[in-house]
Amino acid sequence: MLLPATPLSCLEHLVGATRLAEVRDALREARTRLGGREVWHVSDNPTRGGVAELLRTTLPHLRGEGIDTRWATIEGNRAFRAFTKALYYRLCGVTANEHEDPPDPENGRALYQQVTRAAAQRLLGAMGRRSVVVLHDHQTAGLIPYLREAGCVVLWQCHIGTPLHTEPAGPAWHFLRRYLSAAHGFIASYDGALPAGLPDVAIRVLPPSINPPAPKNLPLHPAVDASRLMARIGVFRQPSPAGTEPDAGDAFPELLPRPPARIDRGAEPLPVGTPLVTQVSRWDRVKDIPGVIEAFTDHVDPDFGAHLLLVGPGRRAIRRPNGYSRSGCPCCSSRV
């Protein structure tokens, strides 16, 4: 995938000149060590999920600093996506449906190897044999042996996993271990994300980060009254007219949901200024929405007057409820 080259200078106003210089020095050293090698990142798809968002926003900065960086995806078929989704739930310590026994990952090994072998052959037709390849998450682990055998330096980066629920995750790690054993090194989001028993090679912890210029991380325009924006989507009551103050829809129209947001639970809109605790996620057991509700009801003082706002995709867009019924998410308080 052809990536644009974005200079780091566009971040200087966010991190400061000193920090920017430190990063540039580190990238200059990395460029020297690479000695002209291509750096490939491989993920499962170019659009869906956090990994795609991360790569789309960060890799252009490497190109902007002179590191020859490429991005490729494997885009498996529907059966492969369903299997790796089940593997994802396992690695996160849950099952897709708490009322069903999770499938045995070994039942999908032939399919997994067929897809990853074909993807590796396709990639090797495009990349140099001295390339440094960073493979992201469980969907790509099956490529490791093929790429290493071809002469590439192969790193595997794990963005998911849990040290808290090791029993459900055990079969998934067992499934991946034969591929991971061929990696030159590992990258994890936090200490403890990777299981014991992996090869004694370099492990680097790379904490998660945000992309400051992304629309969801930008501060609202000074002319925008956030309470008016919330009123437009039905969370707050419509505020009284404020003279010449511009309406949120006029000042920042791209913030308004299209189609309009729908409030599924709750009574009348809340008074302007009501404190809100918000979770934005899929309706997915990995997101532990019941745990969010329990934490809110048990640990947020009712006298504070806060309400919990659970935000996710419309129910019509959900093909599978992922362990939750289509009737909505369980609620245990009138403040939810």
Side-chain angles (χ1 to χ4, degrees):
M1 185 182 304
L2 184 62
L3 295 165
T6 305
L8 280 175
S9 57
C10 67
L11 301 176
E12 182 172 353
H13 69 289
L14 296 167
V15 301
T18 300
R19 179 57 177 158
L20 190 70
E22 293 173 351
V23 174
R24 275 186 167 147
D25 288 343
L27 291 178
R28 189 178 301 113
E29 181 181 353
R31 190 168 61 240
T32 300
R33 292 190 178 190
L34 287 168
R37 291 184 176 190
E38 299 171 350
V39 178
W40 286 76
H41 287 256
V42 183
S43 65
D44 68 321
N45 79 89
T47 55
R48 302 183 304 274
V51 173
E53 179 183 358
L54 172 72
L55 298 180
R56 190 182 310 112
T57 56
T58 57
L59 297 187
H61 291 301
L62 299 181
R63 289 189 60 86
E65 295 302 312
I67 297 177
D68 188 357
T69 308
R70 318 289 178 91
W71 178 19
T73 59
I74 56 176
E75 284 289 343
N77 56 30
R78 180 178 297 181
F80 177 81
R81 292 195 299 271
F83 172 73
T84 54
K85 187 68 173 180
L87 208 59
Y88 162 79
Y89 282 114
R90 280 275 203 180
L91 291 168
C92 292
V94 302
T95 56
N97 191 319
E98 59 186 338
H99 304 297
E100 299 177 358
D101 292 330
D104 183 355
E106 292 299 324
N107 295 335
R109 191 177 292 279
L111 168 68
Y112 183 82
Q113 293 190 166
Q114 176 186 3
V115 172
T116 53
R117 183 189 304 113
Q121 292 171 347
R122 186 175 67 252
L123 287 170
L124 287 171
M127 64 176 55
R129 294 302 193 268
R130 296 179 61 252
S131 297
V132 176
V133 186
V134 183
L135 302 174
H136 294 265
D137 277 344
H138 56 291
Q139 299 95 334
T140 66
L143 282 69
I144 298 174
Y146 302 109
L147 300 182
R148 176 160 185 164
E149 184 179 1
C152 300
V153 174
V154 187
L155 308 176
W156 186 69
Q157 183 163 356
C158 176
H159 298 271
I160 59 175
T162 173
L164 302 178
H165 306 286
T166 56
E167 184 175 348
W173 285 119
H174 177 76
F175 175 88
L176 294 173
R177 192 168 274 111
R178 76 164 63 172
Y179 311 110
L180 300 181
S181 63
H184 290 94
F186 301 101
I187 304 169
S189 298
Y190 58 93
D191 287 322
L194 298 173
L198 292 179
D200 186 17
V201 296
I203 297 178
R204 296 289 182 267
V205 174
L206 187 64
S209 59
I210 66 169
N211 176 35
K216 65 183 180 182
N217 295 324
L218 291 174
L220 291 177
H221 189 281
V224 174
D225 180 350
S227 64
R228 288 177 176 271
L229 185 65
M230 298 297 284
R232 285 283 293 272
I233 64 173
V235 176
F236 285 167
R237 297 171 189 160
Q238 287 286 351
S240 301
T244 59
E245 182 181 30
D247 182 78
D250 299 327
F252 215 157
E254 60 267 33
L255 287 176
L256 292 176
R258 285 186 286 271
R262 171 181 169 181
I263 309 302
D264 280 343
R265 283 296 298 259
E268 297 299 318
L270 301 170
V272 171
T274 300
L276 296 175
V277 176
T278 305
Q279 166 148 317
V280 183
S281 70
R282 302 187 304 270
W283 308 115
D284 189 315
R285 292 195 66 227
V286 171
K287 308 306 178 184
D288 193 20
I289 294 171
V292 173
I293 296 173
E294 183 178 356
F296 177 81
T297 56
D298 289 352
H299 301 289
V300 176
D301 190 341
D303 291 339
F304 185 55
H307 285 245
L308 176 61
L309 191 63
L310 299 173
V311 182
R315 284 178 290 176
R316 289 186 178 182
I318 304 174
R319 292 184 178 180
R320 293 183 178 182
N322 294 327
Y324 295 129
S325 69
R326 290 184 183 273
S327 62
C329 191
C331 293
C332 49
S333 168
S334 61
R335 296 183 293 141
V336 176

